[in-house]
Amino acid sequence: MAVTTSQGVKTWRPLPKQKLFLEAQEDEVLYGGAAGGGKTDALIVFCILRRLKIPNSTGLYLRRSYPELEMSVKGRFQELLEGTGAVWNERTFSWRFPNGSIQYLSYLDNDDAVYRYQSAEFEDIVFDELTTFSEFQFSFMQARCRTTKPGVKPLIRAATNPLGIGY
């Protein structure tokens, strides 16, 4: 696995644990550990690499609240996407890539919020701080991680600190 400038991730190099996470082939992978261990970066790079690799793909990056996305996710995506040609759409809170792929940033602030995605389909879904989501939210969204694209494996990735409501 190479995370290089040609793939759009300009100055980012994975730490050993991040590299293992990014190279994992399992359908669902959890990256755990204390704050400051690079989990959010690994999730963002996972999304970017999937969008660049799979034309016309759709990914969903979830946090528990909109302010969390605004504070720690949106800006970091912007930094790492520099030079890729991806364009931010404020109305849909998403990045559109030159190859037709779309990366959505969204949140599930309560259990009813999952119904916004009732008939949605995503090639991958990322849960940032998984233990802040309820078991119902996770289970419901698992069923939205699917694809009709031949040869594309739907993947779920998550990161978490110890503790939280889903712990």
Side-chain angles (χ1 to χ4, degrees):
M1 183 218 55
V3 180
T4 65
T5 305
S6 65
Q7 291 176 303
V9 183
K10 295 177 83 164
T11 58
W12 193 87
R13 297 289 180 261
L15 301 170
K17 193 171 177 184
Q18 292 169 323
K19 189 173 189 294
L20 286 173
F21 175 80
L22 292 169
E23 291 176 342
Q25 298 298 308
E26 291 79 9
D27 295 348
E28 297 181 10
V29 178
L30 175 68
Y31 186 157
K39 296 178 301 293
T40 296
D41 261 18
L43 292 174
I44 291 170
V45 169
F46 167 79
C47 294
I48 293 170
L49 294 176
R50 290 276 287 186
R51 299 296 71 77
L52 292 171
K53 180 181 177 181
I54 307 167
N56 301 305
S57 64
T58 306
L60 180 64
Y61 189 107
L62 292 169
R63 287 294 303 242
R64 185 64 182 198
S65 72
Y66 174 81
E68 291 170 329
L69 289 170
E70 193 68 48
M71 284 187 301
S72 62
V73 177
K74 180 184 168 192
R76 189 62 176 142
F77 258 102
Q78 186 171 353
E79 290 172 25
L80 294 173
L81 282 169
E82 186 179 336
T84 64
V87 176
W88 177 250
N89 183 324
E90 188 68 34
R91 188 181 60 77
T92 60
F93 220 68
S94 65
W95 293 96
R96 181 170 294 275
F97 290 70
N99 68 0
S101 293
I102 301 172
Q103 180 65 53
Y104 289 98
L105 307 184
S106 194
Y107 61 96
L108 300 174
D109 56 351
N110 61 61
D111 281 353
D112 289 340
V114 299
Y115 297 114
R116 293 189 300 241
Y117 304 100
Q118 197 153 7
S119 60
E121 180 177 291
F122 301 98
E123 276 73 33
D124 44 83
I125 299 176
V126 163
F127 293 85
D128 196 348
E129 298 300 344
L130 181 62
T131 59
T132 66
F133 296 93
S134 71
E135 184 178 348
F136 170 74
Q137 290 170 325
F138 182 75
S139 296
F140 187 94
M141 294 308 294
Q142 277 180 305
R144 313 287 78 73
C145 190
R146 56 191 187 220
T147 187
T148 57
K149 292 179 178 57
V152 175
K153 183 178 179 182
L155 301 175
I156 292 180
R157 296 294 183 262
T160 192
N161 291 316
L163 304 176
I165 64 171
Y167 178 71

PDB file of all heavy atoms in Angstrom, residues 4-25:
ATOM      1  N   THR A   4       0.538   8.172  -1.589  1.00  0.00           N
ATOM      2  CA  THR A   4       1.485   9.090  -2.207  1.00  0.00           C
ATOM      3  C   THR A   4       0.786  10.307  -2.769  1.00  0.00           C
ATOM      4  O   THR A   4      -0.436  10.360  -2.869  1.00  0.00           O
ATOM      5  CB  THR A   4       2.230   8.388  -3.356  1.00  0.00           C
ATOM      6  OG1 THR A   4       1.284   8.061  -4.375  1.00  0.00           O
ATOM      7  CG2 THR A   4       2.917   7.127  -2.879  1.00  0.00           C
ATOM      8  N   THR A   5       1.591  11.269  -3.181  1.00  0.00           N
ATOM      9  CA  THR A   5       1.084  12.494  -3.777  1.00  0.00           C
ATOM     10  C   THR A   5       0.198  12.208  -4.983  1.00  0.00           C
ATOM     11  O   THR A   5      -0.829  12.826  -5.166  1.00  0.00           O
ATOM     12  CB  THR A   5       2.252  13.408  -4.192  1.00  0.00           C
ATOM     13  OG1 THR A   5       3.065  13.632  -3.058  1.00  0.00           O
ATOM     14  CG2 THR A   5       1.748  14.724  -4.716  1.00  0.00           C
ATOM     15  N   SER A   6       0.567  11.221  -5.794  1.00  0.00           N
ATOM     16  CA  SER A   6      -0.218  10.924  -6.998  1.00  0.00           C
ATOM     17  C   SER A   6      -1.626  10.452  -6.659  1.00  0.00           C
ATOM     18  O   SER A   6      -2.521  10.531  -7.471  1.00  0.00           O
ATOM     19  CB  SER A   6       0.483   9.877  -7.862  1.00  0.00           C
ATOM     20  OG  SER A   6       0.543   8.645  -7.173  1.00  0.00           O
ATOM     21  N   GLN A   7      -1.822   9.964  -5.439  1.00  0.00           N
ATOM     22  CA  GLN A   7      -3.153   9.550  -5.011  1.00  0.00           C
ATOM     23  C   GLN A   7      -3.886  10.688  -4.312  1.00  0.00           C
ATOM     24  O   GLN A   7      -5.007  10.500  -3.857  1.00  0.00           O
ATOM     25  CB  GLN A   7      -3.074   8.333  -4.086  1.00  0.00           C
ATOM     26  CG  GLN A   7      -2.633   7.084  -4.821  1.00  0.00           C
ATOM     27  CD  GLN A   7      -2.458   5.931  -3.875  1.00  0.00           C
ATOM     28  OE1 GLN A   7      -1.693   6.023  -2.918  1.00  0.00           O
ATOM     29  NE2 GLN A   7      -3.166   4.863  -4.128  1.00  0.00           N
ATOM     30  N   GLY A   8      -3.258  11.833  -4.199  1.00  0.00           N
ATOM     31  CA  GLY A   8      -3.925  12.989  -3.649  1.00  0.00           C
ATOM     32  C   GLY A   8      -3.622  13.273  -2.199  1.00  0.00           C
ATOM     33  O   GLY A   8      -3.998  14.304  -1.698  1.00  0.00           O
ATOM     34  N   VAL A   9      -2.994  12.381  -1.485  1.00  0.00           N
ATOM     35  CA  VAL A   9      -2.688  12.617  -0.086  1.00  0.00           C
ATOM     36  C   VAL A   9      -1.257  13.125  -0.040  1.00  0.00           C
ATOM     37  O   VAL A   9      -0.314  12.359  -0.057  1.00  0.00           O
ATOM     38  CB  VAL A   9      -2.880  11.335   0.755  1.00  0.00           C
ATOM     39  CG1 VAL A   9      -2.637  11.620   2.214  1.00  0.00           C
ATOM     40  CG2 VAL A   9      -4.285  10.789   0.536  1.00  0.00           C
ATOM     41  N   LYS A  10      -1.115  14.446  -0.016  1.00  0.00           N
ATOM     42  CA  LYS A  10       0.156  15.091  -0.316  1.00  0.00           C
ATOM     43  C   LYS A  10       1.262  14.858   0.705  1.00  0.00           C
ATOM     44  O   LYS A  10       2.349  14.457   0.335  1.00  0.00           O
ATOM     45  CB  LYS A  10      -0.075  16.574  -0.504  1.00  0.00           C
ATOM     46  CG  LYS A  10      -0.939  16.881  -1.719  1.00  0.00           C
ATOM     47  CD  LYS A  10      -1.199  18.325  -1.828  1.00  0.00           C
ATOM     48  CE  LYS A  10       0.001  18.928  -2.509  1.00  0.00           C
ATOM     49  NZ  LYS A  10      -0.206  20.239  -3.014  1.00  0.00           N
ATOM     50  N   THR A  11       1.026  15.143   1.953  1.00  0.00           N
ATOM     51  CA  THR A  11       2.114  15.088   2.920  1.00  0.00           C
ATOM     52  C   THR A  11       1.872  14.044   3.995  1.00  0.00           C
ATOM     53  O   THR A  11       2.612  13.984   4.960  1.00  0.00           O
ATOM     54  CB  THR A  11       2.296  16.466   3.587  1.00  0.00           C
ATOM     55  OG1 THR A  11       1.064  16.832   4.218  1.00  0.00           O
ATOM     56  CG2 THR A  11       2.684  17.518   2.586  1.00  0.00           C
ATOM     57  N   TRP A  12       0.871  13.270   3.837  1.00  0.00           N
ATOM     58  CA  TRP A  12       0.495  12.315   4.876  1.00  0.00           C
ATOM     59  C   TRP A  12       1.190  10.983   4.674  1.00  0.00           C
ATOM     60  O   TRP A  12       1.170  10.422   3.585  1.00  0.00           O
ATOM     61  CB  TRP A  12      -1.024  12.128   4.856  1.00  0.00           C
ATOM     62  CG  TRP A  12      -1.563  11.416   6.040  1.00  0.00           C
ATOM     63  CD1 TRP A  12      -1.926  11.969   7.230  1.00  0.00           C
ATOM     64  CD2 TRP A  12      -1.808  10.015   6.160  1.00  0.00           C
ATOM     65  NE1 TRP A  12      -2.378  10.999   8.087  1.00  0.00           N
ATOM     66  CE2 TRP A  12      -2.312   9.781   7.446  1.00  0.00           C
ATOM     67  CE3 TRP A  12      -1.633   8.926   5.312  1.00  0.00           C
ATOM     68  CZ2 TRP A  12      -2.670   8.529   7.912  1.00  0.00           C
ATOM     69  CZ3 TRP A  12      -1.987   7.667   5.764  1.00  0.00           C
ATOM     70  CH2 TRP A  12      -2.495   7.478   7.058  1.00  0.00           C
ATOM     71  N   ARG A  13       1.804  10.473   5.722  1.00  0.00           N
ATOM     72  CA  ARG A  13       2.423   9.154   5.717  1.00  0.00           C
ATOM     73  C   ARG A  13       1.876   8.381   6.909  1.00  0.00           C
ATOM     74  O   ARG A  13       1.868   8.903   8.025  1.00  0.00           O
ATOM     75  CB  ARG A  13       3.947   9.244   5.821  1.00  0.00           C
ATOM     76  CG  ARG A  13       4.593   9.945   4.651  1.00  0.00           C
ATOM     77  CD  ARG A  13       4.524   9.101   3.387  1.00  0.00           C
ATOM     78  NE  ARG A  13       5.143   9.754   2.269  1.00  0.00           N
ATOM     79  CZ  ARG A  13       4.490  10.427   1.324  1.00  0.00           C
ATOM     80  NH1 ARG A  13       3.199  10.568   1.388  1.00  0.00           N
ATOM     81  NH2 ARG A  13       5.133  10.984   0.320  1.00  0.00           N
ATOM     82  N   PRO A  14       1.456   7.142   6.698  1.00  0.00           N
ATOM     83  CA  PRO A  14       0.837   6.400   7.799  1.00  0.00           C
ATOM     84  C   PRO A  14       1.832   5.950   8.861  1.00  0.00           C
ATOM     85  O   PRO A  14       2.960   5.574   8.548  1.00  0.00           O
ATOM     86  CB  PRO A  14       0.221   5.190   7.099  1.00  0.00           C
ATOM     87  CG  PRO A  14       1.052   4.989   5.878  1.00  0.00           C
ATOM     88  CD  PRO A  14       1.476   6.373   5.454  1.00  0.00           C
ATOM     89  N   LEU A  15       1.384   5.989  10.095  1.00  0.00           N
ATOM     90  CA  LEU A  15       2.098   5.353  11.190  1.00  0.00           C
ATOM     91  C   LEU A  15       1.875   3.846  11.047  1.00  0.00           C
ATOM     92  O   LEU A  15       0.954   3.426  10.335  1.00  0.00           O
ATOM     93  CB  LEU A  15       1.554   5.851  12.529  1.00  0.00           C
ATOM     94  CG  LEU A  15       1.646   7.360  12.783  1.00  0.00           C
ATOM     95  CD1 LEU A  15       0.865   7.753  14.027  1.00  0.00           C
ATOM     96  CD2 LEU A  15       3.108   7.763  12.897  1.00  0.00           C
ATOM     97  N   PRO A  16       2.663   3.017  11.691  1.00  0.00           N
ATOM     98  CA  PRO A  16       2.499   1.565  11.527  1.00  0.00           C
ATOM     99  C   PRO A  16       1.070   1.063  11.783  1.00  0.00           C
ATOM    100  O   PRO A  16       0.557   0.251  11.011  1.00  0.00           O
ATOM    101  CB  PRO A  16       3.489   0.984  12.544  1.00  0.00           C
ATOM    102  CG  PRO A  16       4.571   2.021  12.630  1.00  0.00           C
ATOM    103  CD  PRO A  16       3.842   3.345  12.508  1.00  0.00           C
ATOM    104  N   LYS A  17       0.429   1.531  12.835  1.00  0.00           N
ATOM    105  CA  LYS A  17      -0.938   1.083  13.134  1.00  0.00           C
ATOM    106  C   LYS A  17      -1.925   1.582  12.065  1.00  0.00           C
ATOM    107  O   LYS A  17      -2.856   0.874  11.683  1.00  0.00           O
ATOM    108  CB  LYS A  17      -1.353   1.550  14.528  1.00  0.00           C
ATOM    109  CG  LYS A  17      -2.610   0.891  15.035  1.00  0.00           C
ATOM    110  CD  LYS A  17      -2.864   1.228  16.494  1.00  0.00           C
ATOM    111  CE  LYS A  17      -4.155   0.616  16.971  1.00  0.00           C
ATOM    112  NZ  LYS A  17      -4.477   0.986  18.350  1.00  0.00           N
ATOM    113  N   GLN A  18      -1.732   2.795  11.591  1.00  0.00           N
ATOM    114  CA  GLN A  18      -2.585   3.325  10.517  1.00  0.00           C
ATOM    115  C   GLN A  18      -2.414   2.509   9.244  1.00  0.00           C
ATOM    116  O   GLN A  18      -3.387   2.218   8.540  1.00  0.00           O
ATOM    117  CB  GLN A  18      -2.246   4.790  10.238  1.00  0.00           C
ATOM    118  CG  GLN A  18      -2.618   5.728  11.351  1.00  0.00           C
ATOM    119  CD  GLN A  18      -2.038   7.116  11.149  1.00  0.00           C
ATOM    120  OE1 GLN A  18      -0.914   7.272  10.659  1.00  0.00           O
ATOM    121  NE2 GLN A  18      -2.800   8.129  11.535  1.00  0.00           N
ATOM    122  N   LYS A  19      -1.176   2.123   8.952  1.00  0.00           N
ATOM    123  CA  LYS A  19      -0.896   1.325   7.756  1.00  0.00           C
ATOM    124  C   LYS A  19      -1.627  -0.014   7.831  1.00  0.00           C
ATOM    125  O   LYS A  19      -2.240  -0.453   6.850  1.00  0.00           O
ATOM    126  CB  LYS A  19       0.613   1.132   7.604  1.00  0.00           C
ATOM    127  CG  LYS A  19       1.040   0.504   6.294  1.00  0.00           C
ATOM    128  CD  LYS A  19       2.569   0.525   6.208  1.00  0.00           C
ATOM    129  CE  LYS A  19       3.093   0.116   4.866  1.00  0.00           C
ATOM    130  NZ  LYS A  19       2.853  -1.246   4.504  1.00  0.00           N
ATOM    131  N   LEU A  20      -1.578  -0.659   8.978  1.00  0.00           N
ATOM    132  CA  LEU A  20      -2.302  -1.924   9.162  1.00  0.00           C
ATOM    133  C   LEU A  20      -3.799  -1.730   8.937  1.00  0.00           C
ATOM    134  O   LEU A  20      -4.457  -2.540   8.282  1.00  0.00           O
ATOM    135  CB  LEU A  20      -2.069  -2.478  10.572  1.00  0.00           C
ATOM    136  CG  LEU A  20      -0.718  -3.101  10.859  1.00  0.00           C
ATOM    137  CD1 LEU A  20      -0.595  -3.447  12.345  1.00  0.00           C
ATOM    138  CD2 LEU A  20      -0.516  -4.346  10.005  1.00  0.00           C
ATOM    139  N   PHE A  21      -4.325  -0.660   9.490  1.00  0.00           N
ATOM    140  CA  PHE A  21      -5.748  -0.351   9.339  1.00  0.00           C
ATOM    141  C   PHE A  21      -6.102  -0.149   7.871  1.00  0.00           C
ATOM    142  O   PHE A  21      -7.082  -0.699   7.371  1.00  0.00           O
ATOM    143  CB  PHE A  21      -6.079   0.903  10.157  1.00  0.00           C
ATOM    144  CG  PHE A  21      -7.484   1.394   9.998  1.00  0.00           C
ATOM    145  CD1 PHE A  21      -8.521   0.803  10.686  1.00  0.00           C
ATOM    146  CD2 PHE A  21      -7.765   2.468   9.161  1.00  0.00           C
ATOM    147  CE1 PHE A  21      -9.831   1.259  10.544  1.00  0.00           C
ATOM    148  CE2 PHE A  21      -9.063   2.932   9.010  1.00  0.00           C
ATOM    149  CZ  PHE A  21     -10.090   2.326   9.705  1.00  0.00           C
ATOM    150  N   LEU A  22      -5.314   0.624   7.160  1.00  0.00           N
ATOM    151  CA  LEU A  22      -5.594   0.932   5.754  1.00  0.00           C
ATOM    152  C   LEU A  22      -5.425  -0.288   4.847  1.00  0.00           C
ATOM    153  O   LEU A  22      -6.086  -0.374   3.816  1.00  0.00           O
ATOM    154  CB  LEU A  22      -4.705   2.074   5.268  1.00  0.00           C
ATOM    155  CG  LEU A  22      -5.011   3.434   5.896  1.00  0.00           C
ATOM    156  CD1 LEU A  22      -3.915   4.431   5.557  1.00  0.00           C
ATOM    157  CD2 LEU A  22      -6.368   3.942   5.456  1.00  0.00           C
ATOM    158  N   GLU A  23      -4.582  -1.221   5.214  1.00  0.00           N
ATOM    159  CA  GLU A  23      -4.348  -2.404   4.393  1.00  0.00           C
ATOM    160  C   GLU A  23      -5.299  -3.553   4.714  1.00  0.00           C
ATOM    161  O   GLU A  23      -5.333  -4.547   3.999  1.00  0.00           O
ATOM    162  CB  GLU A  23      -2.903  -2.879   4.559  1.00  0.00           C
ATOM    163  CG  GLU A  23      -1.897  -1.933   3.945  1.00  0.00           C
ATOM    164  CD  GLU A  23      -0.460  -2.360   4.184  1.00  0.00           C
ATOM    165  OE1 GLU A  23      -0.202  -3.179   5.096  1.00  0.00           O
ATOM    166  OE2 GLU A  23       0.414  -1.864   3.452  1.00  0.00           O
ATOM    167  N   ALA A  24      -6.080  -3.430   5.776  1.00  0.00           N
ATOM    168  CA  ALA A  24      -6.979  -4.519   6.198  1.00  0.00           C
ATOM    169  C   ALA A  24      -7.974  -4.873   5.092  1.00  0.00           C
ATOM    170  O   ALA A  24      -8.491  -3.994   4.405  1.00  0.00           O
ATOM    171  CB  ALA A  24      -7.724  -4.112   7.468  1.00  0.00           C
ATOM    172  N   GLN A  25      -8.217  -6.159   4.929  1.00  0.00           N
ATOM    173  CA  GLN A  25      -9.129  -6.656   3.894  1.00  0.00           C
ATOM    174  C   GLN A  25     -10.484  -7.092   4.448  1.00  0.00           C
ATOM    175  O   GLN A  25     -11.386  -7.421   3.693  1.00  0.00           O
ATOM    176  CB  GLN A  25      -8.478  -7.842   3.175  1.00  0.00           C
ATOM    177  CG  GLN A  25      -7.185  -7.481   2.466  1.00  0.00           C
ATOM    178  CD  GLN A  25      -7.378  -6.443   1.381  1.00  0.00           C
ATOM    179  OE1 GLN A  25      -8.224  -6.607   0.514  1.00  0.00           O
ATOM    180  NE2 GLN A  25      -6.618  -5.372   1.432  1.00  0.00           N
TER     181      GLN A  25
END
